Amino acid sequence: MSNKIVVLGVTGSIAAYKAVDVASQLTQKGIDVEVILTKAATQFVTPLTFRSITARPVVTDMFQLASPFSIEHVALAEAADLIAIAPATANIIAKLANGIADDSLTCTVLATAAPVVIAPAMHTGMYNNPVTQLNLTKLHQRGFTLIGPLHGRLASGGIGLGRFAPPDEIVTTICHLLDRKKDLIGKEVIITAGGTQEAIDPVRYIGNRSSGKMGYALAAAARDRGAHVRLISAPTSLAKPLGIEVIDVQTAEEMSVAVGEMISRVDILIMAAAVADYRPVKMQKEKVKKADQRWDLTLERTPDILAETASCTPRPLRIGFAAETENLLHNAKVKLDQKDLDLIIANDITIAGSGFGADQNQVVIIDRTGCIEELPLLNKTDVAQRILDRVVKLLAE
Ligand code: C5P
């Protein structure tokens, strides 16, 4: 871990004293720990405490003229391999979620391209408040890693959700992220995500239940492993991930055109999107009025984007998904053969808490040789990493 720089942001929570342990453990691993204290944090712990532990100057004021960093928020934001905010109050979470930059810590986070880890600590009511939850969701969708909070005894004396995660766990997560593989550097990757929408009339469309979470997780994971990622996204409610070029599309046809324009220049195509297989033959120009008891819609096949890329030269690695409700392995293998794929990721969408819309997914990875790797129920972020592990192996072969 030597040569790594972690910026540790400490905010105004009673759990700030535990951040001293975090700083100490990171320093003992050989990491340069640059501490930034918010004004409120200095009420709980002193800069001298951290300075003594890290042997580094501590930033408390944006306008410190004697600081060794010329313009701290730029210098630290650029130097950081990772920024950890531990503990993170509801206040800092709200500021970061909304791009407020009114002190050294918020400026640094806003200016950085490094991964950011947040360990919230607060009163249960503040944590459960929908506005805090919304802010945390925004940060999570932007690729921030959240650790905790836990259920347990709080400073108020009560028991509830909001307790700071154990420093050991925070340090382990930080080290894991710092150690992350950079095995896709120089690779051009296209990932598709979300569910396409096929217009019936100006108001209605044929869609599906895809949330886009799996594709977005893959895009973020590939980015973190060093790839240049372009994400072709059907409509989703997800925030655009940082550092990734997002091409918004609506229909299967538009997705097909976008993939077709880029495919000759890519090393890897991952089609995580739930592409409509059929679309209305004709889109009605005006809203269709309620009239007869029956309305028969005539549908036609959409282009099979993955199948169409099979003959592409130079040939990229091509990975597809198979969301099934029955005969999972058989159906997935048929698709792998029909579309001539390198890998297919099969998921049984009837498993509770997995698949469409969920944060977790339980998948089976099947390759050309018929080799089957069954993964347990995992967060989509972890599923993404496991898929990319297989992609990297295939590239090496
Ligand atoms: O044939 P099926 O829709 O079940 O195959 C699923 C896989 O094929 C997914 O990877 C999906 O993104 C892709 N697909 C496609 N074009 C379609 C339909 C699906 O590329 N029209």
Side-chain angles (χ1 to χ4, degrees), residues 77-92:
E78 286 177 356
D81 292 296
L82 181 145
I83 298 181
I85 305 178
T89 57
N91 182 48
I92 189 89

Side-chain angles (χ1 to χ4, degrees), residues 83-389:
I83 298 181
I85 305 178
T89 57
N91 182 48
I92 189 89
I93 289 166
K95 284 186 186 177
L96 296 179
N98 292 288
I100 293 172
D102 64 352
D103 62 10
S104 294
L105 182 55
T106 47
C107 284
T108 303
V109 178
L110 197 62
T112 198
V116 183
V117 172
I118 304 265
M122 69 195 74
H123 175 258
T124 308
M126 293 172 92
Y127 180 71
N128 283 338
N129 191 306
V131 77
T132 304
Q133 289 301 314
L134 180 68
N135 290 333
L136 284 167
T137 303
K138 278 192 199 170
L139 295 181
H140 177 62
Q141 288 178 351
R142 250 188 253 154
F144 286 32
T145 300
L146 306 179
I147 313 178
L150 306 184
H151 190 271
R153 194 174 178 285
L154 303 173
S156 59
I159 304 280
L161 199 55
R163 193 174 158 82
F164 188 56
D168 290 2
E169 195 185 316
I170 295 168
V171 170
T172 305
T173 306
I174 291 172
C175 290
H176 176 71
L177 289 170
L178 286 174
D179 209 17
R180 212 157 36 186
K181 305 170 201 116
K182 285 281 182 194
D183 42 17
L184 287 175
I185 287 176
K187 298 294 175 203
E188 290 287 333
V189 182
I190 298 181
I191 296 173
T192 65
T196 63
Q197 299 180 349
E198 310 298 328
I200 297 170
D201 67 16
V203 180
R204 307 174 180 98
Y205 62 82
I206 296 176
N208 61 67
R209 297 185 196 281
S210 170
S211 63
K213 286 180 185 170
M214 192 64 244
Y216 276 57
L218 274 161
R223 171 202 62 199
D224 292 343
R225 289 169 85 143
H228 177 253
V229 183
R230 274 170 294 184
L231 177 62
I232 303 177
S233 179
T236 76
S237 58
L238 303 175
K240 293 198 190 321
L242 292 176
I244 292 175
E245 184 188 336
V246 182
I247 299 105
D248 289 310
V249 297
Q250 193 168 17
T251 63
E253 183 63 37
E254 287 170 12
M255 187 171 276
S256 173
V257 170
V259 170
E261 277 171 4
M262 296 171 201
I263 190 74
S264 61
R265 289 172 276 137
V266 303
D267 301 290
I268 304 159
L269 167 67
I270 306 181
M271 287 283 309
V275 186
D277 292 320
Y278 292 90
R279 66 184 167 211
V281 169
K282 189 166 178 272
M283 180 194 153
Q284 303 299 324
K285 285 220 162 53
E286 307 299 336
K287 183 182 170 192
V288 177
K289 294 286 174 214
K290 194 159 44 199
D292 300 339
Q293 286 301 326
R294 272 179 65 125
W295 172 15
D296 294 323
L297 262 181
T298 308
L299 306 179
E300 64 182 5
R301 285 288 303 268
T302 55
D304 190 321
I305 306 168
L306 253 185
E308 282 179 355
T309 58
S311 54
C312 173
T313 49
R315 194 186 161 92
L317 273 185
R318 294 159 53 254
I319 293 103
F321 275 71
E324 304 293 337
T325 56
E326 56 180 357
N327 300 331
L328 179 69
L329 295 183
H330 172 76
N331 287 342
K333 277 183 190 162
V334 169
K335 279 178 195 171
L336 179 122
D337 287 341
Q338 279 176 350
K339 301 182 195 232
D340 195 17
L341 303 176
D342 296 287
L343 288 179
I344 192 145
I345 319 301
N347 60 333
D348 178 346
I349 51 174
T350 63
I351 298 176
S354 170
F356 281 171
D359 288 327
Q360 295 188 311
N361 213 356
Q362 187 168 348
V363 306
V364 180
I365 306 178
I366 308 174
D367 68 17
R368 276 176 186 280
T369 67
C371 167
I372 290 171
E373 184 185 2
E374 288 187 35
L375 301 184
L377 185 64
L378 295 169
N379 285 331
K380 285 184 172 169
T381 315
D382 296 322
V383 175
Q385 294 291 356
R386 298 287 287 268
I387 294 170
L388 293 181
D389 287 345

